[in-house]
Amino acid sequence: MPIYDALKQSDPAIHAAVAGEMQRQREGVELIPSENYISAAVMETMGSVFNNKYSEGYPGRRYYGGQTYADQVESLAIERATRLFGAGHANVQPHAGAPANVAVYFALLQPGDTVLGMDLSHGGHLTHGHPVTYITRIFNFVRYKMKDATTGAIDYDEMRAVAKREKPKMILAGFSAYPRELDYAKMKSIAEEVGAYAVADMAHIAGLIAGKAARNPFDDNFDVMVTTTHKSLRGPRGGLILCRDADLGKRIDKSVFPGFQGGPIMQMVAAKAVAFGEALRPEFADYARQIVINAKRLAARFLDGGATLITGGTDNHLLLIDCVQSWGISGGEAEELFDRIGITLNKNVIADDPRKPMDPSGIRLGTPAVTTRGMGEVEMDALADFMLAAVAKRGDAAAVEALHREVKAFCMKYPLPG
Ligand code: DSN
């Protein structure tokens, strides 16, 4: 593990927090499905001298001098990203997923245009048009939902009817809490019927797509894919926009810079290049496949233990448990209980949740981070058993503390990468 000597000398308070976080990550289980552990190479690149460089513009077309090496890393990041996802064009500069989505909206839409996206409580994302986001002041968002939360089935006939009525200019596939595959071919055909762009926000499953453990929306002729780079893709924190068509690519580039962002965060662009290089290696496909195997195994163990899973299981890296139905406790209470035994996950709304987002009915958990740590099916059984035991013994503080010690001992067998 890194030592951070300079930081220790210069700022003991921040050094202590970094050391504490390192210990928390090492001694606990990370089941938040959007989190992961990066490699030492990605970590080193994030802390590199590229932090010191301004590089507004794109390779070969910059507004500042001294770009020899910045151009090299950005060009490599673009080339690797396009190869990884079968894209014609990549923009590797978005600072994060939310600004990447906003840059795509501005590249493809006019103010007042309509976007058809998944409802937040059915698995969609805040940036897909939740009323609390400012982007809803500019574009009009309408929603689709699951027709049946016990299976996760989406009613594509209903989606078509809504699309014909609302005439969206963009149909958004993608989610942050939906455990099933979407039917991209059907969504693309609906988009074509109404003259809309088909855009996939694949932030959660980018690593699965890269490793061919999930369908690639470009195979069904989607126009644009947007993603973060730090979830299942296991790169630095940041965003990425891909498209198939060069003209769209020009519009997206202009929208990212100068339309929406200033200088790229070049150390992160360089680290994205490193992560894309890692994802292009054959072992990354094994990793992606194992993420899904692990999630299915975790789901099966919870189902055996009597838990109610939204959609009844998973096709990807995540599961949603209805804690009220399963155990008679809220998602917030479950998150806190599992925190006490060293297992980190997040409370989450379930479809049309009657409870509030700060203490909803469900929890969301996923397997990208534990799979990076080398855990497989046997370990998934153990994790589910720790959690089910915590639920059963939740009134007994000493038993919960004993479980925490067991979880800690279990974790020490799986070192963090780097
Ligand atoms: N915060 C991310 C997640 O956990 O899914 C999405 O933005």
Side-chain angles (χ1 to χ4, degrees), residues 252-270:
I252 286 166
D253 283 354
K254 272 177 75 176
S255 184
V256 172
F257 174 83
F260 192 56
Q261 290 187 176
I265 305 178
M266 200 42 83
Q267 77 273 28
M268 301 308 245
V269 170

Side-chain angles (χ1 to χ4, degrees), residues 144-304:
Y144 58 89
K145 292 182 169 188
M146 293 180 274
K147 72 172 170 199
D148 180 1
T150 63
T151 62
I154 285 170
D155 187 341
Y156 291 96
D157 294 332
E158 168 71 8
M159 187 187 288
R160 176 175 285 106
V162 173
K164 284 190 164 159
R165 187 178 70 231
E166 302 285 348
K167 301 188 177 30
K169 290 283 184 313
M170 179 185 294
I171 295 185
L172 256 180
F175 46 79
S176 56
Y178 179 67
R180 299 295 183 184
E181 274 270 34
L182 292 170
D183 189 334
Y184 300 118
K186 277 206 184 113
M187 295 184 83
K188 173 66 184 176
S189 79
I190 296 168
E192 269 177 349
E193 271 181 55
V194 299
Y197 289 108
V199 175
D201 179 345
M202 52 167 187
H204 263 257
I205 54 168
L208 306 188
I209 294 173
K212 304 204 178 344
R215 279 196 69 77
N216 184 330
F218 283 150
D219 291 341
D220 293 308
N221 299 318
F222 261 57
D223 301 294
V224 176
M225 296 207 292
V226 194
T227 184
T228 49
T229 45
H230 51 272
K231 298 187 171 85
S232 55
L233 192 50
R234 214 162 58 177
R237 299 195 87 81
L240 167 69
I241 305 171
L242 301 147
C243 60
R244 291 184 303 130
D245 173 271
D247 275 349
L248 270 192
K250 278 190 198 138
R251 281 158 63 187
I252 286 166
D253 283 354
K254 272 177 75 176
S255 184
V256 172
F257 174 83
F260 192 56
Q261 290 187 176
I265 305 178
M266 200 42 83
Q267 77 273 28
M268 301 308 245
V269 170
K272 286 174 196 176
V274 176
F276 301 155
E278 291 175 356
L280 281 163
R281 295 184 193 138
E283 54 268 31
F284 193 85
D286 299 336
Y287 165 63
R289 216 174 12 253
Q290 191 63 45
I291 290 175
V292 179
I293 293 170
N294 281 352
K296 284 180 186 289
R297 181 69 169 247
L298 201 53
R301 194 74 167 193
F302 276 117
L303 287 170
D304 283 350

Side-chain angles (χ1 to χ4, degrees), residues 16-47:
V18 171
E21 175 61 15
M22 220 184 302
Q23 185 175 355
R24 187 193 71 81
Q25 293 190 13
R26 192 189 295 129
E27 293 179 354
V29 177
E30 187 51 71
L31 286 177
I32 292 175
S34 48
E35 295 190 6
N36 213 332
Y37 307 104
I38 52 173
S39 70
V42 172
M43 186 82 87
E44 276 179 7
T45 316
M46 283 168 54

Side-chain angles (χ1 to χ4, degrees), residues 60-386:
R61 294 177 293 124
R62 305 275 192 192
Y63 289 86
Y64 292 77
Q67 303 294 343
T68 306
Y69 302 104
D71 277 6
Q72 281 177 16
V73 295
E74 186 165 351
S75 299
L76 270 172
I78 291 168
E79 186 275 320
R80 290 175 185 174
T82 52
R83 200 148 39 98
L84 195 55
F85 292 101
H89 180 90
N91 188 304
V92 297
Q93 293 191 5
H95 299 335
N101 281 344
V102 172
V104 170
Y105 297 148
F106 278 101
L108 305 186
L109 305 174
Q110 295 300 316
D113 279 353
T114 295
V115 178
L116 176 57
M118 190 184 246
D119 186 84
L120 182 72
S121 82
H122 284 240
H125 190 251
L126 273 179
T127 55
H128 299 174
H130 192 277
V132 298
T133 59
Y134 292 155
I135 201 69
T136 57
R137 297 181 186 177
I138 296 167
F139 304 109
N140 173 42
F141 289 85
V142 290
R143 282 165 251 296
Y144 58 89
K145 292 182 169 188
M146 293 180 274
K147 72 172 170 199
D148 180 1
T150 63
T151 62
I154 285 170
D155 187 341
Y156 291 96
D157 294 332
E158 168 71 8
M159 187 187 288
R160 176 175 285 106
V162 173
K164 284 190 164 159
R165 187 178 70 231
E166 302 285 348
K167 301 188 177 30
K169 290 283 184 313
M170 179 185 294
I171 295 185
L172 256 180
F175 46 79
S176 56
Y178 179 67
R180 299 295 183 184
E181 274 270 34
L182 292 170
D183 189 334
Y184 300 118
K186 277 206 184 113
M187 295 184 83
K188 173 66 184 176
S189 79
I190 296 168
E192 269 177 349
E193 271 181 55
V194 299
Y197 289 108
V199 175
D201 179 345
M202 52 167 187
H204 263 257
I205 54 168
L208 306 188
I209 294 173
K212 304 204 178 344
R215 279 196 69 77
N216 184 330
F218 283 150
D219 291 341
D220 293 308
N221 299 318
F222 261 57
D223 301 294
V224 176
M225 296 207 292
V226 194
T227 184
T228 49
T229 45
H230 51 272
K231 298 187 171 85
S232 55
L233 192 50
R234 214 162 58 177
R237 299 195 87 81
L240 167 69
I241 305 171
L242 301 147
C243 60
R244 291 184 303 130
D245 173 271
D247 275 349
L248 270 192
K250 278 190 198 138
R251 281 158 63 187
I252 286 166
D253 283 354
K254 272 177 75 176
S255 184
V256 172
F257 174 83
F260 192 56
Q261 290 187 176
I265 305 178
M266 200 42 83
Q267 77 273 28
M268 301 308 245
V269 170
K272 286 174 196 176
V274 176
F276 301 155
E278 291 175 356
L280 281 163
R281 295 184 193 138
E283 54 268 31
F284 193 85
D286 299 336
Y287 165 63
R289 216 174 12 253
Q290 191 63 45
I291 290 175
V292 179
I293 293 170
N294 281 352
K296 284 180 186 289
R297 181 69 169 247
L298 201 53
R301 194 74 167 193
F302 276 117
L303 287 170
D304 283 350
T308 302
L309 267 58
I310 303 299
T311 84
T314 184
D315 296 330
N316 56 29
H317 64 302
L318 71 84
L319 22 156
L320 275 170
I321 298 177
D322 181 339
C323 302
V324 174
Q325 183 81 19
S326 304
W327 306 315
I329 57 176
S330 70
E333 288 166 328
E335 179 190 288
E336 201 199 305
L337 171 66
F338 297 133
D339 248 344
R340 281 168 58 204
I341 64 164
I343 294 184
T344 308
L345 43 73
N346 68 275
K347 56 184 170 284
N348 213 92
V349 288
I350 60 171
D352 302 317
D353 202 328
R355 301 180 62 91
K356 295 264 184 292
M358 277 311 283
D359 193 13
S361 300
I363 51 171
R364 185 186 69 153
L365 52 159
T367 53
V370 288
T371 307
T372 293
R373 236 166 142 167
M375 296 186 196
E377 290 104 299
V378 173
E379 288 81 3
M380 295 306 109
D381 289 348
L383 291 179
D385 291 349
F386 283 136

